[in-house]
Amino acid sequence: MTGASEVYISGTSTDPALRASRALRAEAGRILTEYREKAAVVTELQLDGSARAEANARLSAFATGPLTGYLSAADRALNATAAGAPATRLLVRALRRIQDSVLRSVDELRQADTSAQVSHAAQALDALLAAYLDAETNVLLPALADLPGADVPALVDDLRTLLDGGELESPEILDVREIPHGTRHPRIFGRYARLAPGESFVLVNNHDPKPLRREFAAAHGEGFTWEYVESGPEKWQVRIGRAAVPA
């Protein structure tokens, strides 16, 4: 019987996916708001001498610290999950191009010497960052929710873990026999998303995971590898990998 804490109505405030989406939007909004508050000091106020240098330093420190850290965490926790799926591969490529542009603007801001240079770099970074966060929350997030096996609450938890300075678990062996059936596939897809090309892990299950293989084929095409290590009758082990990039 499902416990009371696990019962929810989809689309309401008790829906874990909805709560996770709101948490991600709040985090993205916080990053943009904090950046704009610091950028406004150097672009809108007429500061001189040490006051200007201090404001510039605070803005640069935020851009190279929390802002860049958020982009890195989002790429690992969110983009990596969608990058291998045919339906979202091009979206992730576009998002990563915007990320690259954001990082170039961060570097320009860090190296700016004059007030005009700082102001120009800060405004360019504002536009690019806003575009990236808008695409992340309004395009990528709904796409992840529709991706077979993707678990938005778990992905947002991973993002939070990385932002808090933690590391994601990447076990060599993933034994799902004690995990409830309804939550096994998202856990497996989440583990797969952390693989680099050529890496793999061993899935341990209590039945032949043929339905999972069909989901992988639908989501990742020929981008994954699947090799039976043990085939029943009580335990199945499958080595699942991300295909190596052709030389």
Side-chain angles (χ1 to χ4, degrees), residues 5-24:
S5 62
E6 298 176 333
V7 176
Y8 63 88
I9 301 175
S10 179
T12 70
S13 60
T14 60
D15 185 341
L18 183 59
R19 291 202 303 268
S21 297
R22 287 176 175 171
L24 176 61

Side-chain angles (χ1 to χ4, degrees), residues 88-161:
T88 49
R89 186 178 297 128
L90 292 179
L91 170 60
V92 172
R93 287 180 185 174
L95 285 170
R96 284 175 169 166
R97 287 195 185 100
I98 301 174
Q99 272 197 353
D100 289 342
S101 297
V102 171
L103 294 176
R104 284 195 295 271
S105 287
V106 168
D107 195 50
E108 290 174 3
L109 178 64
R110 182 180 59 83
Q111 298 183 49
D113 293 324
T114 67
S115 294
Q117 289 174 341
V118 171
S119 180
H120 175 77
Q123 291 172 0
L125 178 52
D126 181 286
L128 289 166
L129 179 62
Y132 176 82
L133 294 176
D134 179 68
E136 178 183 83
T137 55
N138 294 317
V139 183
L140 178 63
L141 195 58
L144 282 169
D146 291 336
L147 201 63
D151 184 345
V152 172
L155 294 175
V156 174
D157 284 346
D158 286 348
L159 175 65
R160 185 71 264 168
T161 295

Side-chain angles (χ1 to χ4, degrees), residues 34 54 195 205:
E34 287 194 30
E54 184 178 344
L195 295 176
N205 207 344

Side-chain angles (χ1 to χ4, degrees), residues 109-223:
L109 178 64
R110 182 180 59 83
Q111 298 183 49
D113 293 324
T114 67
S115 294
Q117 289 174 341
V118 171
S119 180
H120 175 77
Q123 291 172 0
L125 178 52
D126 181 286
L128 289 166
L129 179 62
Y132 176 82
L133 294 176
D134 179 68
E136 178 183 83
T137 55
N138 294 317
V139 183
L140 178 63
L141 195 58
L144 282 169
D146 291 336
L147 201 63
D151 184 345
V152 172
L155 294 175
V156 174
D157 284 346
D158 286 348
L159 175 65
R160 185 71 264 168
T161 295
L162 293 170
L163 292 176
D164 289 341
E167 280 298 328
L168 304 181
E169 294 184 2
S170 299
E172 167 66 19
I173 297 176
L174 180 60
D175 189 338
V176 299
R177 289 175 293 178
E178 300 300 322
I179 299 175
H181 282 276
T183 61
R184 287 183 182 183
H185 288 197
R187 184 79 61 88
I188 297 164
F189 271 80
R191 176 65 186 92
Y192 176 81
R194 299 170 192 171
L195 295 176
E199 290 185 342
S200 64
F201 68 96
V202 174
L203 169 68
V204 182
N205 207 344
N206 52 12
H207 65 83
D208 189 348
K210 289 181 179 179
L212 175 68
R213 186 172 189 172
R214 290 194 291 269
E215 285 192 16
F216 263 91
H220 299 288
E222 298 181 356

